[in-house]
Amino acid sequence: MDLADLSQQKRIYKHLKEKGVENIIYTDCTKDENIRQILPKITELIGSSQRFQRAEIPECSILVVGVPNVGKSSLINSLRRLHLKKGKASRVGAEPGITRAVLSRIQVSENPLLYLLDSPGVLSPHIETVETGMKLALCGTILDHLVGEDIMADYLLYTLNQKEQYRYVEKYGLDGPCPDIESLLKKIALKLGKTQKVKALTGVGDVNITVPNYSAAAYDFIRTYRRGELGQMTLD
């Protein structure tokens, strides 16, 4: 929820409930916000289900499932930190593919005795539209190089302008919103000193010239968005 547009909560609740999801908790693992609500809800759901009324097995194991880079490992670590006062048990990172296999059971609570299983991210084998793919890529669920950071940056600028989210203007010290990605990346590169020397063929021989590093600028633009520095925005 640290990156989501919370004004869309009602619409998101409605959509999820139409999909059969009844229990929804917004969490922010960077601040441990609402994390304490999770174990009581899990305990309630287990207690109300006949399937889990097994007196001879006091502990419960729960699989944590979601799309790549959504924060599954961060959630487990937050629960462990709050309820057991212990450190990280799962590796985390701001890119997909950090968790590569289902790990051993990770204890997150003594009472109730609860274990969680971290899992690799899962996606639908077929992405319906190019726009859906771009949204997933911007959220870090697909490796950036498979899509192209310049293309992702272009779609991000289009989305920010469409939603009238102009915080990138202040972030990079611009005079105003940019209508095209090339001019934006050039300004970002020059502002951050991200340039590179290349050889240019001229009539008097090869000449080294300094040009903006558009790839480095796109990289910074995308990651600035993912850190929430360009505002909270729900892409859907």
Side-chain angles (χ1 to χ4, degrees):
M1 73 185 223
D2 58 316
L3 297 177
D5 178 3
L6 298 183
S7 68
Q8 299 291 319
Q9 274 189 329
K10 288 184 178 179
R11 186 172 65 86
I12 295 170
Y13 276 128
K14 183 175 182 293
H15 174 76
L16 290 175
K17 289 196 173 184
E18 287 174 353
K19 298 289 186 181
V21 180
E22 293 295 330
N23 299 284
I24 303 163
I25 300 174
Y26 275 71
T27 61
D28 179 355
C29 293
T30 63
K31 301 176 182 177
D32 289 337
E33 191 167 348
N34 295 343
I35 299 295
R36 291 190 183 276
Q37 296 180 25
I38 295 174
L39 285 190
K41 175 55 66 174
I42 289 176
T43 303
E44 175 190 331
L45 292 173
I46 291 174
S48 63
S49 173
Q50 294 300 316
R51 179 181 177 187
F52 295 103
Q53 300 300 327
R54 303 170 183 171
E56 69 277 10
I57 306 177
E59 79 258 11
C60 297
S61 297
I62 297 175
L63 182 66
V64 181
V65 182
V67 298
N69 200 33
V70 77
K72 297 182 294 298
S73 298
S74 296
L75 175 63
I76 290 175
N77 290 333
S78 289
L79 288 168
R80 186 175 168 85
R81 179 172 58 253
L82 285 175
H83 295 284
L84 292 181
K85 309 301 181 185
K86 292 187 178 180
K88 295 180 179 180
S90 286
R91 290 178 58 214
V92 297
E95 61 181 37
I98 297 297
T99 305
R100 297 184 177 276
V102 176
L103 302 179
S104 302
R105 296 194 307 170
I106 301 169
Q107 184 178 355
V108 295
S109 171
E110 287 283 358
N111 186 23
L113 185 54
L114 183 66
Y115 297 88
L116 298 185
L117 292 165
D118 202 355
S119 66
V122 291
L123 276 176
S124 168
H126 175 68
I127 297 174
E128 295 182 357
T129 66
V130 172
E131 187 169 17
T132 298
M134 295 305 302
K135 291 175 181 178
L136 290 170
L138 280 178
C139 291
T141 64
I142 302 171
L143 289 171
D144 293 347
H145 72 271
L146 297 179
V147 179
E149 290 177 332
D150 54 339
I151 299 172
M152 293 165 58
D154 193 4
Y155 182 76
L156 174 58
L157 177 62
Y158 161 77
T159 304
L160 290 170
N161 287 342
Q162 185 184 53
K163 294 179 179 290
E164 299 182 348
Q165 294 269 8
Y166 300 127
R167 284 179 60 176
Y168 69 89
V169 174
E170 179 182 355
K171 170 66 180 178
Y172 293 110
L174 308 177
D175 296 330
C178 285
D180 65 276
I181 191 61
E182 185 175 356
S183 61
L184 174 64
L185 294 183
K186 182 177 181 179
K187 292 174 181 178
I188 292 176
L190 294 176
K191 167 118 181 129
L192 301 179
K194 296 183 180 296
T195 58
Q196 58 187 352
K197 290 186 177 181
V198 298
K199 285 187 178 181
L201 298 176
T202 69
V204 294
D206 295 349
V207 177
N208 288 326
I209 61 174
T210 301
V211 298
N213 188 332
Y214 291 99
S215 296
Y219 180 92
D220 187 88
F221 184 44
I222 293 167
R223 276 148 191 78
T224 298
Y225 159 70
R226 289 174 178 167
R227 290 193 298 267
E229 295 178 24
L230 301 183
Q232 293 179 308
M233 184 174 68
T234 301
L235 295 175
D236 281 334

